[in-house]
Amino acid sequence: MSNVLEIRNLTKKFGDFIAVDNMSLAVREGEIFGFLGANGAGKSTTINMISSLLRSTKGEIDLLGKNIAKNAKFAKSNIGVVPQDLAIYEDMTAYENVSFFAGLYGLRGEQLKERTVEALEFVGLGDKHKAYPKNFSGGMKRRLNIACAIAHRPKLIIMDEPTVGIDPQSRNYILNSVRKLNDMGCTIIYTSHYMEEVEEICTRIAIVDHGKIIAEGTKEQLKAIITDTKDIWIGIKSEDEIKVESLKQIPGVATVRIEDQMVMINSKAEVNNLNQIIQQLIRDRAEIRSVEEQAPNLETVFLTLTGRNLRD
Amino acid sequence: MDFWTIGNKAGLLFYIIAVLYLGASDNTAWLTLAYLSYLSLNMAIPLFKRKHPKQLMIFLSAACVVYCAVRLDPLFIVLLPVNIYEFVSLHVRRRRYALLTMAVPALFVPQAMLPIYVLAAFLSYLLYAGNRVHMDKLKAYEDEREAMRDDLQRLSRALNENNEYIRQSEYTIKLEERNRLSQRIHDEVGHAMAGALIQMEASKRLMASDRDKASELLQNAIAISKEGLERIRLTLKNMKPRSEELGINRLRLFVDELSAKHAIDAKLTYEGNLDVITPIQWKIIQQNATEAATNTLKYGQATEIHFEVKVLNTVIKALVADNGRGAPKIVKGIGIVGMEERAASAGGTVIVDGARGFSVTTLLPYGSPK
Amino acid sequence: MKTLIIALKEIKQALRDKRTFVFMLAFPIVLILILGMALSNAFSGNVELGEMKVLYKDTGASPALGGYWDGFVKTVGQGNVHFTPLGEGMNGQEEVKSDNYVAYVELGNEGIRFYGSTKSTIEDNIVQGMLTAFAQRYNLAASAMKTDPAAAQAVLANASAPHDIVKETALQADKSPGSIDYYAIAMTTMIALYAAMSASSLIRGERSRNTAIRLSAAPVSKSEIFAGKIIGCLFSNLICVLAVVLFSKYVFKADWGDHFGMVFLVLLSEVLLAVSLGLGLSYFFKGETARSIVMIFTQLASFLGGAYFPIGDADNFMGAVTNLSPLRWANVAINKIIYSNELGAALPAIGLNLAIAVAFLAIAIISMRRREAL
């Protein structure tokens, strides 16, 4: 897999303030790369430099192997930006919005029409060509916001918090579109401070804080920073029937303790053995009252490493 | 700056004098009075250091210029822009406002005088603006130089102090250690050896008369010596510090010292298997903790400082956090850069946060134990 | 091409905006109508000249003058100017004040003393003109009498053609603008200046709608965006200006003269001035300040430029200030083109407009280049 995007020693200063601090990373083709970090961590600044909205103070960015500062037109043409805040014209129809921006990317004539229709279909606004965004719901506006960024079929799509402040239904729609775009061959950079979203769709994640990448990898790798085990607590009615030895035979299980009608199992985190454990308990005729699995999530990773919550 | 201003004014005044002299004006007496009063007013301007009298003088001079322009000769108006600039620049830093204000009198200047007025205003402005720019730059350099000299002084002093301290503490530690060692050998082995010696002495005397008793005493001496040897081995083993103890104890020592010497409540907590931390990593942790604590003591206005070392699955986290005023905007000084460089040398990062108190987190990766 | 796309988008948005219609079309048209009707008296261009009654008193101090005067009165009296001698107990100046007479003339030792009326300006002007002509002829005759009495007779005989004088005066009055004509021009130039307001939000608007992000992220250079926006703004405002011109021409029958091309050029240069002014100021000042400043400037310029009521030629301080208003240049130029056929009058106005436009555009371009984003 080749690198779609490569960032080396990227730094951005605003006066004395260092928004992005000597950041280096590579995004490979076909990834959904997540930027996870609290507000003000430097995600948007990084993204703005990738999409040529800001100039870097230091460091280089390569898109598809070409330096974006030296090949600005090439870089801009191959990137689609979905800004954090809605960036659409309320006084132009959905079709006109998409068509205008696609036109700026050099699409003309029949091709322009086709791609515009295609983009609107893609975000589920195929029946709203002539409607004005001022009459749209928040979610529809967000979708139009995405359509404006994809009509020119960019290689790399940058989405900056695309799900802020919308209803769950539109959110799911957008997450699904992100996956669909990825299936169609787009590489995607996705920033969010919603841990669940990033965990759900991103193939690789960088945790950003104070302008630095403090951890990077797949979500499993990130969680493994904290611990490689998980705790499974199963409440049962009676302790008599439980055979500790048979539970220990289950792959991944390290220790088993039984106390106060509670089976406490410590297991390797990456092994998905909850089903087997429960089946074993049922075979032992245990009456299960509650099941609780405590595995680390990205939020705990962030909290442990930085001492702060993502949504501070 | 003042000299340039005076030069500018003098140039313009001489120009006026020359023109009016060649023009052979009749009321020479009045003109001379005008020249002199302008001269004296403007010499007075740089004499005052405070703003208000300066302002007054500039204003008077401007009024004098306008009066002369109206009553004596319109040519005097070319002196006005300099006064206007002086006046405006006392109040606002923005140069373009000065230019705008200098342009205003152009509306009232008679047609014939307009070009010369605009020329005078423009050149004066250029002189001023150029001067200003360079003065500002000079001042910035000066400040920077001053700051750098301060830094240098502070750093070299700190370096000397540190060197001295290191030399002394090395010596003290050696002495203490030697003392402890000899005390211990004396206490533990000395007694045993003395006991064995007495028994052996007795056995030698009894050897001829009572062989059985002698052999018993000798057996005793052997046992005591054996035990003594075992003690020595144990003592030496105990005395050889384990790397874990070295690290966390040094840190604990530092923390205890901090609470004792300063009006701050310092705490240390640790969690996880400290054995995985290598001496090099301990060194980084220790140095960063010292640096962060120094910062807190200097600027933080904190009453509590908390040290934490946590060994996670693949990462070691060392945190120093205080409850002081923090910093909404973090400016990277030498200290923070140093911490970052140290951490980077072991493949780690440093997070500095000033949102709630000041906190420095050092993250160092390590090879997973499995 | 991308410039064109942006320009088209600007025009589309401007023409869809209801405020455009209210501000740029309805507002000026209604104002032309209201001000044109209400202030028609200030422009007496189409007032019928009725009988003009002039009161006079011969103090008899100069019998020669008195003699000529009687002759003059007789011949002139055949037209619609009537001279009446001052009766017993009448106060000439009071009579004029109470509007019974147009003017009061006193023949004295030093010559003719004239009291005009401020109420009927046109009539007053005519009478004054006639008297001036009379006085000149009398002076001529008086000096001629000393050398050549025959020539003096000839001069005096000429005085018996007063109808010509009246007619000439009347002709010139016709060829000055009526109130509707005046306001049609003044409002048109005023809304041309209003283009500054929409221009001041050209870039700011994109920023506040966040679309500036998209524009800067697209492979379009800043200069293309800039050019597109200026062309679009220029064109959409020009459409409004032309709509007002055509509406006033065909509905209100305002006089736009015969040199429409030249008038158009003046208006075009003024819109360009307004657009670059608005744009330049929007870079010069931050946020809403720019809008307020443009607003204040356009209102001041409208006021001083004579958009609300005509401002005469004043040579004093006020005159100097009015000359600072771009509306003033445009109005003067257009009036000269229409009413005096002075096509050359357009050139200073166009030149000044273009020069200022270039200056502000330069400000805008320099500021734009300094910024990282739009």
Side-chain angles (χ1 to χ4, degrees):
Chain A
M1 275 196 290
S2 58
N3 285 343
V4 172
L5 182 76
E6 202 179 320
I7 293 177
R8 287 184 302 276
N9 304 101
L10 188 68
T11 300
K12 177 71 186 177
K13 290 187 190 178
F14 297 107
D16 274 341
F17 177 68
I18 303 175
V20 175
D21 193 356
N22 208 18
M23 189 185 278
S24 298
L25 68 93
V27 177
R28 296 190 278 262
E29 194 176 344
E31 280 186 326
I32 303 180
F33 190 87
F35 261 129
L36 184 67
N39 285 327
K43 291 172 290 170
S44 291
T45 311
T46 310
I47 275 175
N48 285 345
M49 283 189 279
I50 298 172
S51 46
S52 306
L53 297 181
L54 290 176
R55 282 190 285 268
S56 62
T57 312
K58 228 177 63 192
E60 280 123 54
I61 304 173
D62 285 358
L63 183 85
L64 300 167
K66 291 186 185 178
N67 186 297
I68 65 159
K70 289 173 194 146
N71 305 284
K73 273 233 154 113
F74 168 82
K76 284 175 164 186
S77 307
N78 282 297
I79 293 180
V81 182
V82 181
Q84 181 169 357
D85 302 301
L86 287 174
I88 46 179
Y89 296 107
E90 302 249 316
D91 48 0
M92 300 205 307
T93 63
Y95 183 91
E96 283 169 337
N97 263 295
V98 178
S99 167
F100 169 66
F101 287 115
L104 293 185
Y105 282 88
L107 298 182
R108 299 281 178 273
E110 276 305 310
Q111 199 190 20
L112 177 62
K113 274 184 208 160
E114 274 168 31
R115 295 281 180 87
T116 305
V117 172
E118 182 189 285
L120 283 169
E121 290 292 341
F122 184 81
V123 297
L125 293 173
D127 53 342
K128 299 273 191 241
H129 283 194
K130 295 227 166 102
Y132 286 89
K134 56 187 157 204
N135 305 322
F136 281 8
S137 71
M140 284 158 79
K141 284 182 191 174
R142 287 259 161 218
R143 274 140 64 187
L144 180 59
N145 202 26
I146 294 177
C148 290
I150 58 170
H152 61 286
R153 290 192 185 160
K155 288 267 186 332
L156 176 67
I157 298 176
I158 300 176
M159 294 187 155
D160 196 358
E161 309 260 4
T163 55
V164 169
I166 55 168
D167 56 297
Q169 206 184 341
S170 287
R171 184 175 158 276
N172 284 339
Y173 197 100
I174 287 175
L175 292 186
N176 282 332
S177 333
V178 173
R179 281 198 202 94
K180 258 199 304 186
L181 282 169
N182 187 238
D183 290 342
M184 285 157 62
C186 286
T187 307
I188 290 162
I189 294 180
Y190 190 96
T191 86
S192 180
H193 62 280
Y194 292 119
M195 174 268 303
E196 307 87 353
E197 272 176 21
V198 172
E199 200 169 342
E200 195 179 329
I201 61 167
C202 294
T203 53
R204 223 150 55 87
I205 299 157
I207 296 183
V208 187
D209 192 45
H210 286 96
K212 291 181 204 169
I213 292 179
I214 57 173
E216 184 191 337
T218 63
K219 58 185 175 226
E220 287 78 18
Q221 285 170 333
L222 289 179
K223 288 174 189 170
I225 289 177
I226 309 281
T227 172
D228 54 359
T229 63
K230 62 181 175 185
D231 289 321
I232 300 167
W233 294 16
I234 299 166
I236 46 172
K237 199 168 183 184
S238 146
E239 300 165 10
D240 306 338
E241 308 290 326
I242 307 301
K243 295 182 189 102
V244 173
E245 283 313 309
S246 59
L247 282 174
K248 278 192 176 166
Q249 297 300 315
I250 296 170
V253 174
T255 61
V256 179
R257 274 191 308 143
I258 300 174
E259 235 170 63
D260 296 339
Q261 299 176 315
M262 186 72 81
V263 182
M264 285 173 273
I265 298 170
N266 184 268
S267 157
K268 277 194 175 159
E270 72 259 28
V271 185
N272 198 354
N273 49 11
L274 187 59
N275 260 352
Q276 276 173 280
I277 291 168
I278 290 173
Q279 275 166 12
Q280 180 60 45
L281 288 174
I282 291 170
R283 239 178 278 141
D284 292 346
R285 301 184 187 286
E287 201 172 311
I288 295 175
R289 287 168 154 182
S290 67
V291 176
E292 195 180 333
E293 188 181 39
Q294 281 191 332
N297 58 27
L298 292 178
E299 180 96 44
T300 42
V301 174
F302 188 84
L303 180 70
T304 315
L305 292 183
T306 68
R308 276 168 296 121
N309 283 314
L310 268 172
R311 261 159 253 179
D312 274 353
Chain B
M1 188 84 184
D2 284 338
F3 287 112
W4 293 96
T5 319
I6 292 170
N8 187 6
K9 286 171 181 168
L12 288 169
L13 189 63
F14 283 133
Y15 169 77
I16 294 174
I17 294 175
V19 169
L20 293 184
Y21 178 73
L22 293 178
S25 183
D26 37 358
N27 43 4
T28 328
W30 282 109
L31 284 175
T32 314
L33 179 65
Y35 301 149
L36 289 178
S37 43
Y38 178 80
L39 216 57
S40 52
L41 280 172
N42 282 283
M43 292 303 269
I45 295 172
L47 293 183
F48 291 105
K49 288 286 162 250
R50 290 216 333 271
K51 192 173 166 188
H52 287 290
K54 236 186 170 65
Q55 246 174 357
L56 182 70
M57 283 297 144
I58 295 172
F59 185 76
L60 283 177
S61 159
C64 165
V65 164
V66 170
Y67 183 79
C68 293
V70 173
R71 294 301 296 267
L72 292 172
D73 195 295
L75 194 57
F76 275 98
I77 204 75
V78 299
L79 292 170
L80 193 57
V82 191
N83 282 139
I84 292 180
Y85 191 94
E86 275 182 306
F87 193 79
V88 174
S89 61
L90 272 185
H91 291 273
V92 276
R93 297 285 301 160
R94 307 295 279 272
R95 280 188 287 278
R96 54 174 179 241
Y97 293 124
L99 185 60
L100 281 178
T101 333
M102 284 162 94
V104 170
L107 301 175
F108 307 100
V109 171
Q111 200 80 34
M113 295 301 303
L114 202 53
I116 185 78
Y117 176 80
V118 171
L119 180 69
F122 183 65
L123 288 180
S124 305
Y125 172 73
L126 275 191
L127 182 69
Y128 269 83
N131 239 322
R132 196 64 172 273
V133 168
H134 288 113
M135 295 291 278
D136 286 352
K137 244 185 216 159
L138 205 63
K139 195 171 172 321
Y141 285 142
E142 201 91 358
D143 288 350
E144 203 175 338
R145 208 183 54 139
E146 200 66 23
M148 273 156 87
R149 223 189 50 203
D150 275 358
D151 269 354
L152 194 67
Q153 216 162 23
R154 198 166 44 78
L155 288 177
S156 54
R157 207 178 51 224
L159 190 67
N160 285 338
E161 278 171 8
N162 285 347
N163 280 340
E164 183 62 22
Y165 179 72
I166 287 168
R167 213 167 53 78
Q168 277 208 348
S169 52
E170 257 174 13
Y171 183 63
T172 335
I173 286 170
K174 265 185 208 158
L175 274 187
E176 273 175 8
E177 200 59 24
R178 233 190 269 166
N179 192 27
R180 201 163 69 93
L181 214 65
S182 63
Q183 187 71 41
R184 195 118 181 228
I185 289 172
H186 174 259
D187 286 356
E188 309 237 324
V189 190
H191 289 298
M193 281 315 202
L197 211 62
I198 292 170
Q199 305 242 354
M200 282 191 280
E201 202 75 50
S203 146
K204 194 177 115 190
R205 281 166 204 253
L206 285 177
M207 191 81 85
S209 54
D210 189 348
R211 285 188 69 96
D212 283 350
K213 187 72 182 165
S215 107
E216 188 187 322
L217 284 175
L218 208 56
Q219 189 55 46
N220 259 352
I222 290 171
I224 293 173
S225 303
K226 225 181 216 168
E227 197 184 332
L229 197 67
E230 194 56 36
R231 274 251 180 89
I232 291 175
R233 200 177 281 148
L234 206 75
T235 306
L236 288 181
K237 193 186 168 211
N238 279 346
M239 250 184 308
K240 184 183 170 228
R242 284 189 294 154
S243 74
E244 170 203 323
E245 284 210 340
L246 193 68
I248 195 70
N249 281 349
R250 262 186 83 189
L251 198 58
R252 187 178 287 139
L253 199 69
F254 174 70
V255 172
D256 289 345
E257 234 175 56
L258 214 58
S259 328
K261 285 189 185 162
H262 304 276
I264 196 161
D265 188 8
K267 282 199 188 82
L268 169 70
T269 56
Y270 53 92
E271 193 183 318
N273 180 12
L274 296 185
D275 290 344
V276 303
I277 308 178
T278 65
I280 294 170
Q281 287 168 332
W282 270 120
K283 196 173 154 212
I284 294 167
I285 292 170
Q286 178 81 28
Q287 282 175 333
N288 282 7
T290 313
E291 181 75 49
T294 314
N295 268 341
T296 293
L297 291 177
K298 257 192 198 163
Y299 312 111
Q301 297 176 355
T303 57
E304 278 171 33
I305 185 164
H306 171 224
F307 296 77
E308 181 186 302
V309 179
K310 209 173 189 177
V311 178
L312 303 167
N313 196 34
T314 63
V315 163
I316 303 155
K317 175 189 173 192
L319 168 80
V320 181
D322 68 31
N323 66 343
R325 59 180 176 164
K329 204 174 89 173
I330 287 155
V331 180
K332 265 197 197 179
I334 307 173
I336 296 179
V337 173
M339 292 196 269
E340 282 179 347
E341 278 170 3
R342 277 194 287 272
S345 71
T349 44
V350 170
I351 311 166
V352 182
D353 182 51
R356 282 164 306 173
F358 204 80
S359 78
V360 176
T361 313
T362 309
L363 298 174
L364 300 170
Y366 74 95
S368 186
K370 56 187 168 175
Chain C
M1 188 61 199
K2 286 171 186 167
T3 308
L4 201 65
I5 293 176
I6 295 171
L8 278 175
K9 182 219 105 187
E10 282 302 319
I11 295 168
K12 209 186 264 179
Q13 283 183 315
L15 296 186
R16 270 183 197 166
D17 193 355
K18 282 191 193 110
R19 271 180 311 178
T20 311
F21 279 91
V22 174
F23 249 96
M24 304 295 280
L25 293 176
F27 179 62
I29 286 172
V30 168
L31 269 189
I32 293 174
L33 201 63
I34 293 175
L35 291 176
M37 295 295 183
L39 298 180
S40 60
N41 282 340
F43 303 83
S44 310
N46 31 8
V47 165
E48 285 282 316
L49 284 182
E51 254 190 350
M52 287 174 271
K53 292 201 284 179
V54 180
L55 204 57
Y56 74 93
K57 179 180 163 194
D58 189 356
T59 53
S62 164
L65 177 60
Y68 290 129
W69 175 259
D70 288 338
F72 172 71
V73 166
K74 239 175 243 159
T75 40
V76 169
Q78 291 159 8
N80 47 7
V81 184
H82 296 288
F83 287 87
T84 329
L86 186 73
E88 279 299 315
M90 280 168 84
N91 184 332
Q93 290 171 43
E94 281 303 318
E95 290 293 324
V96 173
K97 230 181 237 174
S98 53
D99 215 12
N100 291 335
Y101 293 90
V102 172
Y104 169 59
V105 180
E106 224 175 71
L107 304 173
N109 216 359
E110 303 94 48
I112 301 169
R113 200 181 284 268
F114 176 83
Y115 300 94
S117 159
T118 47
K119 285 175 187 152
S120 34
T121 32
I122 296 279
E123 288 91 336
D124 183 71
N125 276 340
I126 295 171
V127 174
Q128 215 175 332
M130 286 165 64
L131 287 181
T132 317
F134 168 74
Q136 278 165 357
R137 285 210 178 87
Y138 168 70
N139 284 342
L140 190 62
S143 50
M145 192 67 87
K146 290 173 192 154
T147 51
D148 186 358
Q153 283 305 318
V155 170
L156 281 181
N158 254 341
S160 56
H163 302 285
D164 290 1
I165 297 164
V166 177
K167 268 180 191 151
E168 265 169 38
T169 324
L171 253 178
Q172 267 171 1
D174 249 351
K175 198 52 187 164
S176 76
S179 59
I180 289 279
D181 304 319
Y182 178 85
Y183 282 114
I185 295 170
M187 285 301 141
T188 307
T189 52
M190 183 179 82
I191 61 155
L193 198 64
Y194 277 11
M197 284 195 251
S198 52
S200 76
S201 57
L202 268 183
I203 302 291
R204 202 160 40 82
E206 298 285 356
R207 258 184 254 139
S208 64
R209 277 183 293 205
N210 301 315
T211 40
I213 298 175
R214 274 200 203 290
L215 289 181
S216 334
V220 197
S221 66
K222 274 188 191 172
S223 45
E224 280 173 306
I225 298 174
F226 205 68
K229 293 216 140 240
I230 289 176
I231 293 172
C233 189
L234 198 64
F235 199 77
S236 57
N237 280 294
L238 206 57
I239 290 175
C240 292
V241 170
L242 289 184
V244 173
V245 169
L246 293 177
F247 194 86
S248 61
K249 184 173 171 70
Y250 291 108
V251 179
F252 295 150
K253 308 281 181 219
D255 188 359
W256 280 95
D258 307 319
H259 306 282
F260 198 72
M262 212 57 178
V263 172
F264 176 76
L265 282 183
V266 173
L267 289 175
L268 176 68
S269 71
E270 202 203 333
V271 175
L272 184 67
L273 163 77
V275 169
S276 49
L277 184 77
L279 201 60
L281 287 178
S282 79
Y283 270 107
F284 214 67
F285 298 97
K286 294 260 165 330
E288 282 298 304
T289 334
R291 194 175 171 74
S292 329
I293 285 176
V294 170
M295 198 81 174
I296 292 167
F297 175 78
T298 45
Q299 287 310 320
L300 263 182
S302 305
F303 180 80
L304 292 172
Y308 302 122
F309 56 85
I311 288 184
D313 294 308
D315 283 329
N316 50 12
F317 175 72
M318 194 61 189
V321 173
T322 56
N323 276 329
L324 290 179
S325 165
L327 283 192
R328 178 77 180 161
W329 320 325
N331 286 341
V332 168
I334 294 178
N335 272 311
K336 279 189 179 161
I337 294 168
I338 297 175
Y339 295 105
S340 323
N341 290 332
E342 278 183 55
L343 292 185
L347 295 179
I350 292 177
L352 209 50
N353 284 345
L354 288 182
I356 297 176
V358 167
F360 275 98
L361 278 183
I363 289 180
I365 289 172
I366 290 167
S367 319
M368 179 195 71
R369 290 200 164 266
R370 276 195 186 169
R371 283 183 203 230
E372 287 196 48
L374 256 184

